[in-house]
Amino acid sequence: MNYDHILVRYGELTLKSGNRKMFVNKLRANIKDRLMPLQGYKVRANRDRMYIDVYEGSDIEEMMTRITSVFGVHSVSPVVRIEKELDVMKEIALQFANEFNDGDTFKIDVRRADKTFEMDTFQLNQALGGHVLENTNNITVDVKQPDHKIKVEVRKDAIYMYNKVLEGAGGLPVGTGGKTLLMLSGGIDSPVAGMEVMKRGVTIEAIHFHSPPYTSEQAKQKVIDLTKQLSYFTGDIKLHIVPFTNLQKQIHKVVEESYTMTSTRRMMLRVTEKVAHNIGAHAIVNGENLGQVASQTLGSMYAINSVTSMPILRPLLTFDKDEIVKKAQAINTFDLSIQPFEDCCTIFTPKNPKTNPKLEKVEYFESNFDFGPLIDEAVENVETITISKHDDIQKEKEEWMDDLL
Ligand code: ATP
Ligand code: MG
């Protein structure tokens, strides 16, 4: 099929009438970014739809896969644009039908926006449907529940025909909903939590706590790789790596063992809140899931959460583990996450962490030492790396060039 362009529908975007222009511009930029390194596509947008021209040799399948993964895209169709000539329309309808399987049903679905066109909807249905039936063997018409619809839009300038509608990622374009700081651990959950908030249009930066020499370079690299994988969906992401060893050691000196995990989480959160302020984020995101482990009971969340008044978003709070795993597989973070490198929390985890810690108790233990300066020191020594998929794209391009030569 000689497709002319890809039609992108926004869905929910249209509800936000006041901001529509900003939403559409962001979506267009995000789609262009996602289409790199395929390069050179013209993207035209109006208030309801976007059109991406395709050229000879374009890899339409690859383009569609990329576009459908962009948040804010509701659905996508590859479209053929043709002159207003019945013979040409018949021929294209037949080409679509030739791709159906034996026994399938279809329907011609005409929308006649140009009311001056010489044939009405009924006549067009008859003419195109009749032509398809005459020239195929094993397909039939079903107007109520067809397996396929051949959509025909009659507009002023031309006729547009398509029969595929691919579902998009939904949600809102990243960059339209403010900024959050994602606590990224290297486990399965937190990258998925990041994707969930990005789906609502939110931009993320990531923060990771590591405790050298107790945690390895590989553990750090794993988090860098996870961030890069997330950046494929959103563009560049800043990753803040916090040196956490001194704080962890101090916690173990002054806090009773069964409370060290609670205290560790509280210190993480105090550092995270400060970094969030510094970068202008309005909320913190984590991968917590109700009841999964000792630190994620309601009692624990209460004792941990009380160190900050900043909103903490927990998009996975009520998910089942298998739902999270499926999502991690879909965004290609699962295989990275299950690499076996030690996390700072795993190493310092007490044998019997309190599942229902008391706020007064943890506050009492922490009052034995002034943690403020160590927290400030950790924030001052944060290493910030900007992680970009574009480095890979540059490499990819160079490899293509090498192949050509
Ligand atoms: P994950 O798979 O995301 O690690 P988990 O089920 O293993 O989650 P925990 O290890 O209890 O859960 O961590 C809960 C949340 O705390 C994580 O989802 C993450 O947001 C945050 N977190 C834990 N460890 C770190 C870390 N080293 N750096 C940054 N955030 C962390
Ligand atoms: Mg973890």
Side-chain angles (χ1 to χ4, degrees), residues 35 90 102 108 111 134 140 160 213 224 258 317 326 358:
L35 284 176
K90 282 181 174 171
D102 278 0
I108 306 282
R111 252 191 61 207
E134 275 163 30
T140 50
Y160 295 84
I224 293 175
S258 64
L317 191 72
K326 265 191 220 139
K358 299 278 168 292

Side-chain angles (χ1 to χ4, degrees), residues 20-21 26 35 41 53 100 146 179 223 226 250 288 296-297 325 339 360 374:
R20 186 178 297 160
K21 202 166 170 203
K26 250 295 168 254
L35 284 176
Y41 292 102
D53 295 329
F100 303 161
K179 193 196 282 179
V223 173
L226 281 169
Q250 195 56 45
E288 283 176 343
Q296 300 178 25
T297 61
V325 165
Q339 295 174 87
E360 312 76 62
L374 279 186

Side-chain angles (χ1 to χ4, degrees), residues 36-48:
M36 284 175 75
L38 306 179
Q39 286 197 350
Y41 292 102
K42 212 167 128 209
V43 181
R44 292 172 286 131
N46 65 29
R47 40 186 280 132
D48 304 311

Side-chain angles (χ1 to χ4, degrees), residues 189-354:
D189 302 338
S190 38
V192 177
M195 280 301 278
E196 290 295 309
V197 291
M198 287 193 274
K199 182 171 183 187
R200 300 314 300 168
V202 169
T203 308
I204 59 163
E205 294 191 14
I207 185 165
H208 176 69
F209 292 81
H210 80 146
S211 302
Y214 305 101
T215 55
S216 61
E217 270 304 304
Q218 289 149 308
K220 179 172 158 185
Q221 186 58 43
K222 174 181 175 181
V223 173
I224 293 175
D225 293 344
L226 281 169
T227 311
K228 181 167 280 174
Q229 185 54 34
L230 292 179
S231 80
Y232 270 94
F233 296 91
T234 70
D236 297 357
I237 299 179
K238 280 196 181 128
L239 171 64
H240 307 275
I241 299 178
V242 184
F244 200 45
T245 318
N246 290 346
L247 270 164
Q248 280 197 299
K249 280 185 170 166
Q250 195 56 45
I251 292 166
H252 281 263
K253 269 190 204 150
V254 300
V255 175
E256 195 213 83
E257 201 199 329
S258 64
Y259 269 81
T260 51
M261 204 251 324
T262 312
S263 190
T264 303
R265 300 294 171 161
R266 284 161 57 89
M267 297 304 159
M268 276 190 180
L269 209 46
R270 285 171 70 177
V271 173
T272 302
E273 184 192 51
K274 282 186 185 266
V275 174
H277 274 303
N278 290 348
I279 64 169
H282 286 133
I284 295 164
V285 182
N286 68 27
E288 283 176 343
N289 181 259
L290 201 50
Q292 205 183 69
V293 286
S295 64
Q296 300 178 25
T297 61
L298 274 184
S300 250
M301 282 184 202
Y302 178 74
I304 295 166
N305 210 148
S306 68
V307 298
T308 179
S309 58
M310 190 174 261
I312 301 182
L313 312 182
R314 299 178 174 88
L316 308 187
L317 191 72
T318 59
F319 286 24
D320 286 341
K321 192 73 191 185
D322 56 347
E323 289 176 74
I324 300 173
V325 165
K326 265 191 220 139
K327 282 178 183 276
Q329 284 164 336
I331 59 170
N332 285 331
T333 53
F334 183 76
D335 290 342
L336 290 170
S337 291
I338 58 173
Q339 295 174 87
F341 308 120
E342 293 291 356
D343 189 62
C344 64
C345 306
T346 336
I347 284 168
F348 287 91
T349 303
K351 277 192 249 25
N352 296 306
K354 276 261 178 280

